[in-house]
């Protein structure tokens, strides 16, 4: 017959009677299970390639979860935009932003104070290349951002990408400009790296095809997302092997900068109130809002919502500009403009919307004199 073992209280009483000291084994702190540690905070930082929707992040996060790295926390002041699978979608991927503006306007310190990352994945500079900003100027901005990361956390590990190639129809020179920037990144990283805060270059350019791995010559499709995830993974797991998580951040008010308006938005919340179309019965609605505006240019977003009871199999938004505005760049939709008339159609990954589901696309445009908000029509 199995006898019930003596409990701790009984053993202690016997020890007191017999004058015996019973020692408890010492468990070194290093043997504590990983799950008991604070998660490692990882900030994806960049533009629309990172955040709109940046589904390489969902692919990467799920791969990490499935290969023995569950104790991670993707961080950022922006949330996920879908991707068809559960994942930690927090990020700092700001559509339309230039890394030079983020640096010059000191926007990063506020994001850092709210999230305190241990590792930063930075794919930034596509819009700067598109705007014909010199590689040296972009690298100066990189350096300022790294300095700000280290001011927030001296042990920040920075993974900086050689950015993916680009071939937009409106910029025949962009492909070579990307090459020029990427060729300069390794020397910059070698000069910037330190033992406490290493800067690692991740080659996202080699083997990436603008025709096969993007849907518009700039933004990755599903194949491109997979390639980007595959390139981040080995560098990130190496970085995870030597990170001691910092304490959880105390989230307070985000400091605001006093930016000098340039090509990208500097204003949050939106500068115009959202204008929503009246929905047809069972159809979709479209909400237009100007996110940021500066002299001669602006950024706007349109959010499509399925207001019906069935799933939308695709959508198209149309409007007419009333003051000669001209779109120069767009993301998350196939957008065309003829004169004042604009048409934006869903891309492959955001066309199917369940009842109540939404999809958001954005664009940069020029204006002169005035920038009235148009009425957008949405058709399914």
């Amino acid at each position: 017959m199995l006898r019930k073992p003596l409990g701790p209280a009984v053993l202690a009483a016997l020890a007191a009677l017999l004058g015996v000291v019973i020692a408890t084994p010492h468990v070194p702190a290093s043997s504590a299970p990983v799950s008991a540690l604070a998660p490692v905070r990882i900030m994806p930082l960049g533009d629309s390639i990172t955040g709109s929707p940046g589904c390489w992040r969902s692919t990467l996060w799920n791969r990490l979860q499935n290969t023995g790295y569950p104790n991670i926390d993707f961080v950022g002041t922006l949330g996920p935009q879908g991707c068809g699978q559960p994942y930690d979608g927090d990020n700092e991927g700001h559509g339309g932003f230039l890394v030079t503006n983020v640096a010059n306007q000191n926007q990063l310190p506020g994001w850092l104070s709210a999230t305190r990352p241990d590792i930063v994945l930075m794919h930034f500079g596509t819009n700067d290349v598109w705007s014909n900003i010199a590689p040296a100027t972009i690298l100066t901005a990189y350096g300022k951002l790294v300095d700000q990361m280290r001011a927030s956390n001296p042990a920040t590990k920075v993974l900086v990408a050689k950015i993916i190639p680009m071939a937009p129809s409106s910029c025949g020179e962009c492909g070579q400009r990307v090459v020029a920037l990427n060729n300069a990144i390794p020397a910059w990283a070698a000069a910037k790296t330190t033992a406490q805060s290493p800067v690692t270059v991740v080659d996202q350019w080699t083997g990436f095809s603008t025709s096969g791995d993007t849907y518009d010559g700039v933004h990755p499709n599903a194949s491109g997302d997979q390639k980007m995830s595959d390139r981040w993974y080995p560098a990130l797991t190496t970085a995870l092997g030597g990170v001691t998580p910092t304490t959880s951040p105390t989230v307070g008010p985000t400091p605001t900068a006093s930016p000098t308006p340039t090509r990208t938005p500097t204003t949050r919340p939106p500068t115009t109130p959202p204008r929503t179309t009246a929905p047809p019965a069972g159809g979709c609605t479209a909400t237009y809002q100007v996110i940021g505006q500066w002299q001669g240019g602006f950024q706007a977003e349109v959010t499509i919502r399925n207001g019906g009871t069935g799933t939308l199999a695709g959508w198209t938004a149309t409007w007419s500009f009333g003051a000669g505005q001209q779109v120069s760049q767009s993301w998350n939709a196939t957008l065309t403009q003829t004169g004042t008339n604009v048409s934006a159609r869903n891309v492959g990954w955001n066309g199917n919307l369940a009842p109540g589901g939404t999809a958001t696309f954005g664009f940069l445009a020029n204006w002169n004199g005035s920038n009235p908000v148009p009425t957008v029509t949405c058709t399914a």
Side-chain angles (χ1 to χ4, degrees):
M1 181 178 70
L2 294 174
R3 296 182 181 274
K4 184 177 181 180
L6 296 175
V10 176
L11 287 173
L14 288 173
L17 288 173
L18 297 173
V20 177
V21 177
I22 301 178
T24 57
H26 171 68
V27 179
S30 61
S31 67
V34 173
S35 59
L37 299 175
V40 178
R41 292 188 297 280
I42 303 167
M43 173 190 281
L45 173 65
D47 45 42
S48 58
I49 291 171
T50 295
S52 302
C55 288
W56 61 260
R57 293 181 290 108
S58 69
T59 303
L60 178 61
W61 186 86
N62 278 282
R63 183 176 180 183
L64 290 166
Q65 296 297 300
N66 295 330
T67 55
Y69 298 91
N71 202 36
I72 57 173
D73 181 13
F74 278 18
V75 298
T77 60
L78 304 177
Q81 294 190 23
C83 285
Q85 60 182 333
Y87 73 109
D88 183 353
D90 296 333
N91 71 95
E92 293 294 352
H94 297 263
F97 276 34
L98 280 70
V99 68
T100 47
N101 283 352
V102 170
N104 293 338
Q105 298 164 9
N106 291 315
Q107 294 174 303
L108 181 61
W111 304 337
L112 293 169
S113 68
T115 57
R116 297 298 295 269
D118 302 298
I119 301 173
V120 176
L121 311 181
M122 187 169 74
H123 185 288
F124 220 165
T126 297
N127 292 303
D128 303 79
V129 168
W130 208 323
S131 301
N132 200 20
I133 294 175
T137 305
I138 297 173
L139 294 179
T140 297
Y142 281 8
K144 183 173 182 178
L145 297 191
V146 171
D147 291 343
Q148 292 171 339
M149 295 170 197
R150 290 170 175 169
S152 172
N153 176 3
T156 303
K157 295 192 172 186
V158 184
L159 275 57
V160 61
K162 286 187 174 182
I163 65 173
I164 62 175
M166 57 187 295
S169 58
S170 61
C171 182
E173 303 81 19
C174 279
Q176 187 55 46
R177 292 178 196 166
V178 170
V179 172
L181 171 61
N182 285 341
N183 285 344
I185 288 176
W188 167 84
K192 197 67 178 176
T193 194
T194 66
Q196 185 180 19
S197 175
V199 178
T200 302
V201 178
V202 178
D203 184 2
Q204 294 285 359
W205 188 89
T206 301
F208 197 99
S209 166
T210 54
S211 61
D213 298 323
T214 75
Y215 60 82
D216 60 356
V218 179
H219 299 88
N221 56 20
S223 171
D225 288 329
Q226 185 65 58
K227 285 187 176 181
M228 291 190 70
S229 171
D230 289 345
R231 292 299 175 88
W232 285 122
Y233 180 83
L236 180 54
T237 54
T238 298
L240 285 168
V243 171
T244 300
T246 55
T247 56
S248 298
T250 300
V251 178
T254 300
T256 57
S258 298
T260 301
T262 53
R263 297 174 183 264
T264 57
T266 60
T267 305
R268 292 288 193 217
T271 60
T272 63
R275 174 179 292 182
T276 305
T277 60
C284 59
T285 61
T287 302
Y288 182 108
Q289 52 188 337
V290 175
I291 299 300
Q293 183 168 292
W294 54 97
Q295 184 60 43
F298 69 98
Q299 178 180 358
E301 288 183 350
V302 177
T303 298
I304 305 298
R305 183 180 185 277
N306 181 2
T309 57
T311 298
L312 293 184
W315 49 263
T316 300
T318 57
W319 67 91
S320 293
F321 280 128
Q325 300 97 319
Q326 290 289 322
V327 175
S328 59
Q329 179 184 348
S330 65
W331 51 92
N332 295 347
T334 301
L335 190 148
T336 58
Q337 180 173 359
T338 304
T340 61
N341 298 321
V342 182
S343 174
R345 178 172 49 84
N346 66 275
V347 290
W349 57 266
N350 64 1
N352 292 329
L353 295 180
T358 62
T360 299
F361 66 90
F363 61 89
L364 299 177
N366 303 318
W367 65 281
N368 185 19
S370 64
N371 186 25
V373 173
T375 299
V376 183
T377 300
C378 175
T379 57

